Amino acid sequence: MKEIELIATCAAGIEAMVKREVQKLGFKDISTENGKVTFKGDLSSIAKANINLRCADRVLLKIGEFEALSFEELFEKTKALPWDEWITVDGKFTVLGKSVKSKLFSISDCQAIVKKAVVEKLKTKYNVEWFEETGPEYTIQVSLLKNIATLTIDTSGTALHKRGYRKRIVAAPIKETLAAAMIMISYWNKSKPLLDCFCGSGTIPIEAALIGKNIAPGLNRTFASQEWSVIDKSIWEKERRIAFQAIDQDVELKIYASDIDPEAVELARENAYEAGVDDCIDFSVCDFKNAKVKGDYGVVISNPPYGERISEKKEVENLYKDLGKFLKNYPTWSKYFLSPVEKFERLYGKKASKKRKLFNGNIKVDYYQFFGLQPPK
């Protein structure tokens, strides 16, 4: 199988988690930049990466990279790339674009030129003047950064955070990819109890259960590149079979999830059922001060309310104060909270052991990490 280069894109701040996942999957020549992890593999790597990556947004196939200072240069160098090795005669393709600090700043012009160059290349290969575009989907992206054009095809289709288990959501949910990253950054592992006392529609506890049972996040969904004729169906079948056989059916998880909103908890239960992990999570409707905190050396991971409206600000500040007082009683537990509130530590009553800048959608947040006491040696 020929070697290909892939790019796993991700939200800013979680590149290290994606890199760790890419390494664990056995890929090579890994490099990390802002919002992306590049690695090499073969055709089966497209299936393996899409099925298994928990924190990445998309897996892009890198077709080429070059300097482009003029539209003519962009056209000629794009046309020279091997589009015909991937796109079929009936392929339906769109071109997306972005440009940062580059001479070619008109995104619409760049998109039109790339589309024209790809069409010209395919005309030569298939000896046709007109393309029906009724077949598999190929989303091409031209990304210009400091005059360097990177051309890719999206292998994922629908973004990877859409695992397929969230049928309905509550207001302000966090993406599944971010929830997975929060868990992977934490000290939690499947032998420890985990509590989310603001569980909303259940994303954090569900992602924890998927990690604990080693259920691949993309096992039950489809991807754009599944329809590409260049990747044999047997490759997808094999990678799904490997992922399915890797599930830990015997692990006993101690995951507790609660929320004061009964509708949210009902929804979280439904989502957990869809994800196939409803038997791993103990859900309850209660105020966080009555949440189940069982055992020692557990982990709290939560995305508490932010109080975006002025009227809610005071209420949320009081909630953070009460949260700090309540969790002070559990010194062996490590606590992790996502919040855009800059005075979170002051309100919570303790300086975080560590902080990490992340993005919850478009909201810039800090991931506050309070490490608990370590078990005696």
Side-chain angles (χ1 to χ4, degrees):
M1 264 192 215
K2 65 174 180 176
E3 189 177 72
I4 56 172
E5 196 166 3
L6 296 169
I7 301 167
T9 64
C10 63
I14 60 172
E15 296 89 351
M17 300 301 110
V18 177
K19 184 184 178 184
R20 195 199 297 172
E21 289 191 274
V22 165
Q23 284 171 328
K24 202 174 160 192
L25 289 170
F27 298 125
K28 56 185 196 297
D29 296 338
I30 303 163
S31 65
T32 309
E33 289 170 66
N34 281 347
K36 63 183 188 179
V37 177
T38 303
F39 55 98
K40 287 186 179 157
D42 55 27
L43 283 180
S44 68
S45 307
I46 291 175
K48 183 182 274 193
N50 275 298
I51 291 167
N52 291 285
L53 289 176
R54 296 183 191 279
C55 303
D57 290 332
R58 296 180 176 279
V59 178
L60 308 178
L61 169 69
K62 188 170 168 184
I63 304 294
E65 194 167 74
F66 50 79
E67 187 180 52
L69 297 170
S70 68
F71 288 132
E72 188 183 355
E73 198 173 10
L74 179 64
F75 178 84
E76 292 300 340
K77 288 180 176 177
T78 298
K79 190 183 167 189
L81 296 174
W83 301 104
D84 51 322
E85 289 177 18
W86 298 95
I87 302 174
T88 49
V89 68
D90 62 346
K92 178 184 173 187
F93 63 97
T94 46
V95 180
L96 305 176
K98 55 183 178 182
S99 178
V100 179
K101 296 178 182 169
S102 295
K103 205 173 167 187
L104 304 180
F105 57 84
S106 167
I107 293 164
S108 57
D109 286 337
C110 291
Q111 285 170 281
I113 282 157
V114 166
K115 175 108 184 177
K116 191 179 172 196
V118 175
V119 167
E120 288 305 314
K121 178 75 174 203
L122 297 180
K123 272 184 186 176
T124 322
K125 158 88 179 201
Y126 297 116
N127 202 19
V128 292
E129 283 300 311
W130 177 256
F131 293 94
E132 292 287 339
E133 296 201 42
T134 53
E137 289 198 20
Y138 303 86
T139 303
I140 296 167
Q141 185 171 81
V142 51
S143 178
L144 285 140
L145 175 64
K146 295 178 182 170
N147 300 317
I148 301 297
T150 306
L151 285 120
T152 58
I153 307 177
D154 178 11
T155 72
S156 303
T158 305
L160 295 182
H161 76 272
K162 299 211 169 167
R163 322 280 205 221
Y165 64 73
R166 248 173 28 179
K167 300 301 175 191
R168 291 189 296 132
I169 52 172
V170 293
I174 63 166
K175 277 185 181 175
E176 295 85 333
T177 42
L178 177 59
M182 287 165 69
I183 295 156
M184 287 163 71
I185 290 166
S186 81
Y187 280 159
W188 184 75
N189 63 53
K190 60 187 175 184
S191 67
K192 293 181 177 182
L194 181 142
L195 165 69
D196 179 2
C197 46
F198 303 97
C199 76
S201 54
T203 311
I204 292 170
I206 291 168
E207 288 296 320
L210 292 173
I211 291 168
K213 288 192 81 168
N214 199 32
I215 298 173
L219 201 51
N220 297 313
R221 54 155 287 182
T222 56
F223 305 95
S225 47
Q226 267 178 247
E227 301 303 316
W228 298 359
S229 60
V230 72
I231 310 172
D232 198 270
K233 295 273 186 275
S234 64
I235 288 175
W236 289 95
E237 285 160 16
K238 183 187 173 193
E239 290 303 332
R240 284 187 199 281
R241 191 165 56 247
I242 291 167
F244 187 75
Q245 287 165 349
I247 296 171
D248 186 345
Q249 304 285 8
D250 304 318
V251 69
E252 286 192 19
L253 300 171
K254 299 180 283 286
I255 299 175
Y256 304 95
S258 59
D259 200 286
I260 201 163
D261 179 0
E263 196 183 331
V265 175
E266 187 49 44
L267 190 51
R269 278 199 182 99
E270 282 175 31
N271 290 339
Y273 174 78
E274 289 290 339
V277 293
D278 52 315
D279 58 335
C280 308
I281 306 167
D282 184 341
F283 287 105
S284 57
V285 178
C286 65
D287 182 86
F288 71 85
K289 292 191 280 290
N290 301 318
K292 292 176 185 174
V293 187
K294 293 181 177 179
D296 291 321
Y297 308 105
V299 175
V300 176
I301 304 177
S302 263
N303 178 37
Y306 299 168
E308 280 146 33
R309 291 196 289 272
I310 301 288
S311 58
E312 297 167 343
K313 283 217 172 1
K314 196 73 203 154
E315 204 180 311
V316 162
E317 286 181 3
N318 290 333
L319 182 144
Y320 290 171
K321 285 176 189 171
D322 291 344
L323 187 62
K325 285 173 197 162
F326 168 65
L327 290 173
K328 203 185 271 185
N329 302 318
Y330 301 93
T332 67
W333 281 60
S334 292
K335 299 100 178 176
Y336 300 81
F337 302 106
L338 202 63
S339 178
V341 177
E342 285 178 10
K343 53 182 177 179
F344 181 89
E345 289 160 295
R346 199 162 81 236
L347 296 164
Y348 183 79
K350 193 175 180 185
K351 187 163 172 44
S353 315
K354 218 171 175 183
K355 271 195 313 192
R356 187 188 282 250
K357 293 222 171 296
L358 297 174
F359 281 87
N360 181 6
N362 296 323
I363 305 170
K364 196 171 167 188
V365 289
D366 276 297
Y367 190 34
Y368 295 96
Q369 305 163 55
F370 302 91
F371 303 149
L373 299 173
Q374 292 299 301
K377 289 276 187 281

